[in-house]
């Protein structure tokens, strides 16, 4: 049997095991067969004799690396075990969090096969990484998305479900379930019962709710909640929970318009030299699924077939209608925005504390207006946001360094020395914007901030750098603009999207330079020509993560 581990486990050496199909050259080995059969018969009985005879017929096994998104890895592992018993493949199944899939597929040693929760997910990752995977393979089964709770709403629609304050659902970084619900809502747009603008507004509100509260769809907690709570989950998870908790009051339903399936798709993500291997291994997995044992495994995992026929023994939700898929390009575009909106923010806020920030801006200094806008903006960030704070002006950090880290990136709710990060930021922003001196050291600071976020990149977050300045680079000893842009372009990585959001304050800001710096990272620049507009510009800058998706 092959090695099966999760993403955190270290790889261990595995013994090559023979299989009678598809992996290697098969031959008889006489004495080794007889000895193996005798030992296995003594230890476990004749049922394993045939398996070991098959093993002996493979002079070598072919190693196949498979990644499976968490939640489906157990099912994939069982199918891989079944495939191994009738082939010359040795599968390694690695569980990978959906939020870490891009990183895993961008490593030098990539897997040959990826089993994702849906084909939409594969297309999304393929587009993000700029890959040319030629084919999205067959489905290993389906599971419809359901609403589960001890008090279910009457005649729900997908749009209404996503707007329910008591809805519990994982963000797309953790599961494709919410993506499927978005597709359901998008179908209501196609039917004319909802406008596209209203859909985006509804998704934005849901994303804010998800980012500012713990909305985990824990079925045990939902079932025992004294309040009416509804979880968005798969029929598979619902059935498994009910089987383990037969006395639970939990029920499940789907909107009358229908639902969307997760379709557990295989993708050949191998390098060109391994494509033949991956293709053969996928065939072995499909053959295993179509066998009697494979069908039993699928039923035990409460997964429907690719045709979405109901589960046996009246399990699950009956009378399910599957919604016709909306336009693929439109669906993929909406899902990209949804993913960006639901990812918590992780950023360094880099503020200009040079002497020019003392200049008058209609009766108040630029620094005073920036302070007011920054403190207001800080209140708007959801509690799962992770923020760090830097200040910059020429030689601010000493020894020729134009920047200083005031606070490292931490979640706003995290406490250090008895204070939350949010409270610490309030004090730090007030203090630094009250200590203004020196010229503007923009270019070295921008590069250092980008490198800092790149080096500490967290794929579970929407990573970025926000730079605010009222001037142009005045450090003659710094990197040039051309070399800065070149360095940023070299470091740009599709698996580590880190846009620089550049905010210029007043007409004195170097709009052209800020635009080049931002665009080199896939970011954007904003100019508050009237410093009084800083607050509105900051909100625009933060929302750019969805527009840029």
């Amino acid at each position: 049997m092959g090695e099966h581990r999760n993403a955190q486990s270290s790889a261990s050496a595995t013994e090559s095991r023979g299989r009678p199909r598809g992996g290697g050259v098969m031959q008889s080995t006489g004495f080794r067969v007889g000895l193996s059969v005798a030992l296995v018969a003594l230890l476990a009985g004749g049922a394993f004799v045939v398996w070991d005879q098959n093993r002996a017929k493979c002079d070598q096994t072919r190693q196949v690396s498979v990644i499976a998104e968490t939640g489906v890895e157990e099912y994939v592992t069982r199918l891989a075990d079944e495939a191994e018993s009738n082939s010359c493949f040795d599968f390694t199944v690695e569980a990978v969090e959906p939020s870490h899939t891009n990183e895993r597929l961008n490593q030098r040693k990539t897997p040959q096969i990826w089993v994702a929760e849906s084909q939409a997910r594969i297309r999304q990752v393929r587009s993000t990484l700029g890959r040319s995977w030629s084919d999205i393979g067959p489905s290993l089964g389906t599971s419809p998305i359901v609403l589960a709770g001890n008090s279910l709403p009457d005649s729900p629609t997908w749009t209404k479900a996503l707007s329910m304050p008591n809805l519990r659902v994982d963000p797309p970084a953790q599961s494709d379930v919410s993506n499927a619900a978005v597709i359901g809502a998008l179908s209501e747009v196609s039917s004319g019962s909802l406008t596209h603008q209203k859909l985006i507004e509804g998704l934005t509100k849901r994303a804010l709710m998800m980012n500012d509260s713990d909305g985990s769809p824990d079925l045990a907690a939902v079932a025992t909640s004294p309040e009416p709570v509804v979880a968005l989950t798969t029929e598979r998870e619902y059935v498994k929970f009910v089987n383990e908790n037969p006395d639970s009051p939990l029920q499940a339903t789907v909107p009358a318009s229908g639902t969307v399936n997760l379709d557990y798709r295989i993708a050949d993500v191998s390098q060109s030299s391994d494509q033949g291997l991956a293709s053969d291994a996928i065939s072995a997995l499909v053959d295993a699924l179509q066998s009697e044992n494979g069908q039993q495994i699928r039923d035990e995992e409460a997964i429907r077939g690719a045709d979405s026929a109901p589960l046996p023994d009246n399990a699950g939700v009956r009378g399910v209608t599957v919604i016709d898929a909306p336009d693929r390009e439109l669906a993929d575009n909406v899902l990209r925005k949804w993913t960006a909106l639901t990812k918590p923010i992780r950023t360094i806020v880099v503020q200009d504390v040079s002497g020019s920030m003392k200049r008058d801006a209609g009766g108040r200094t630029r620094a005073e207006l920036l302070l007011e806008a920054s403190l207001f903006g800080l209140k708007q960030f959801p509690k799962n946001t992770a923020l760090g704070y830097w200040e910059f002006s020429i030689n601010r950090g000493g020894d020729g360094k134009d920047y200083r880290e005031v606070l490292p990136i931490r979640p706003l709710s995290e406490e250090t020395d008895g204070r939350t990060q949010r409270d610490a930021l309030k004090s730090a922003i007030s203090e630094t914007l009250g200590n203004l001196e020196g010229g503007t050291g923009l270019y070295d600071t921008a590069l250092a901030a980008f490198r800092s976020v790149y080096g500490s990149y967290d794929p579970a977050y929407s990573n970025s750098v926000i730079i605010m300045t009222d001037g142009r680079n005045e450090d003659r000893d710094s990197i040039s603009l051309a070399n800065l842009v070149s360095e940023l372009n070299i470091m740009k990585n599709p698996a580590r999207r880190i846009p620089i959001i550049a905010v210029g304050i007043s007409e004195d800001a170097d709009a052209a330079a800020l635009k080049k710096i931002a665009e080199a990272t896939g970011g954007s620049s904003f100019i508050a020509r009237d410093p009084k507009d800083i607050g509105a510009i900051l909100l625009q800058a933060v929302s750019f993560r969805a527009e840029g998706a």
Side-chain angles (χ1 to χ4, degrees), residues 65-69 101 105 111-118 121-123 125-126 133 265-269:
S65 172
V66 181
I67 63 170
E69 293 185 348
T101 301
L105 290 172
Q112 283 94 27
I113 297 171
W114 171 28
V115 181
E117 288 186 313
S118 73
R121 174 107 174 95
I122 295 172
R123 292 198 305 270
V125 172
R126 180 173 61 186
W133 301 323
R265 288 282 179 154
I266 304 179
D268 178 348
V269 294

Side-chain angles (χ1 to χ4, degrees), residues 5-8 66-73 93-105 107 111 114-115 117 121 173-174:
R5 57 185 173 85
N6 61 31
Q8 285 72 44
V66 181
I67 63 170
E69 293 185 348
T70 49
V72 75
E73 79 279 1
V93 179
E94 175 187 354
V96 177
E97 293 277 354
S99 60
H100 288 67
T101 301
N102 289 18
E103 285 271 290
R104 180 64 183 87
L105 290 172
Q107 292 175 2
W114 171 28
V115 181
E117 288 186 313
R121 174 107 174 95
Q174 297 178 27

Side-chain angles (χ1 to χ4, degrees), residues 198-525:
K198 287 293 184 183
L199 172 62
I200 298 301
E201 289 176 4
L203 294 181
T204 301
K205 290 177 182 177
R206 167 52 55 183
L208 288 173
M209 283 190 278
M210 291 169 67
N211 283 330
D212 214 26
S213 64
D214 179 14
S216 173
D218 181 342
L219 295 185
V222 170
T224 58
S225 172
E227 303 294 330
V229 178
V230 177
L232 199 59
T233 187
T234 61
E235 180 188 57
R236 177 191 180 211
E237 291 299 323
Y238 167 72
V239 170
K240 291 173 75 173
F241 177 81
V242 170
N243 286 344
E244 294 169 1
N245 303 272
D247 297 328
S248 169
L250 206 66
Q251 296 178 314
T253 188
V254 298
S257 61
T259 188
V260 179
N261 282 331
L262 297 188
D263 58 356
Y264 305 120
R265 288 282 179 154
I266 304 179
D268 178 348
V269 294
S270 62
Q271 298 177 354
S272 57
S273 58
D274 287 338
Q275 285 180 350
L277 168 64
S279 178
D280 291 345
I282 288 173
S283 295
L285 285 170
V286 173
D287 288 349
L289 174 61
Q290 293 173 345
S291 70
E292 184 176 345
N293 286 346
Q295 298 294 301
Q296 183 177 344
I297 289 170
R298 193 190 69 198
D299 289 345
E300 289 172 353
E301 291 288 330
I303 291 176
R304 299 185 180 209
D307 61 358
S308 200
L311 295 172
D313 303 322
N314 290 316
V317 180
R318 318 310 291 175
V320 171
T321 300
V322 178
I323 292 172
D324 292 335
D327 176 78
R328 179 177 292 183
E329 184 176 348
L330 174 62
D332 288 350
N333 180 268
V334 171
L335 290 179
R336 279 195 301 271
K337 293 184 183 301
W338 170 241
T339 299
L341 284 169
T342 53
K343 270 193 172 184
I345 297 168
R346 181 179 184 274
T347 190
I348 293 176
V349 177
V350 186
Q351 288 194 342
D352 187 343
V353 292
S354 62
S356 59
M357 290 293 289
K358 298 176 183 178
R359 291 178 183 170
D360 180 74
R364 301 170 70 189
T365 67
R366 293 172 180 176
E368 287 171 339
L369 290 172
L370 180 56
L371 172 61
E372 181 180 282
S374 297
L375 294 181
F376 172 77
L378 185 59
K379 294 178 183 177
Q380 311 309 310
F381 284 108
K383 65 182 181 182
N384 67 351
T385 300
L387 291 185
Y389 182 63
W390 288 18
E391 60 174 357
F392 75 100
S393 64
I394 292 177
N395 201 37
R396 190 70 165 195
D399 297 325
K401 192 165 66 173
D402 293 340
Y403 50 88
R404 183 176 76 91
E405 180 186 74
V406 181
L407 288 171
I409 298 177
R410 296 192 189 106
L412 290 179
S413 58
E414 183 175 310
E415 289 194 9
T416 304
D417 298 328
R419 288 199 306 174
T420 66
Q421 180 78 343
R422 196 187 298 264
D423 288 338
L425 283 163
K426 290 178 186 176
S427 299
I429 293 169
S430 300
E431 181 180 336
T432 56
L433 287 176
N435 181 21
L436 308 171
E437 60 180 355
T440 304
L442 176 62
Y443 297 164
D444 281 354
T445 300
L447 182 58
F450 185 87
R451 283 175 171 167
S452 178
V453 176
Y454 189 94
S456 62
Y457 182 87
D458 189 333
Y461 285 79
S462 176
N463 297 259
S464 63
V465 174
I466 299 176
I467 298 180
M468 291 176 280
T469 180
D470 73 335
R472 58 190 63 243
N473 187 69
E474 296 171 324
D475 185 351
R476 296 178 180 178
D477 296 323
S478 76
I479 190 173
S480 68
L481 177 61
N483 285 341
L484 168 60
V485 169
S486 176
E487 286 288 330
L488 293 173
N489 276 313
I490 289 171
M491 287 189 291
K492 191 160 58 176
N493 181 340
R496 291 193 175 194
R497 184 173 180 267
I498 305 171
I500 289 180
I501 312 301
V503 180
I505 302 167
S506 83
E507 294 282 358
D508 293 336
D510 190 343
L514 293 177
K515 187 172 188 290
K516 288 180 180 180
I517 292 168
E519 289 182 347
T521 63
S524 188
S525 60

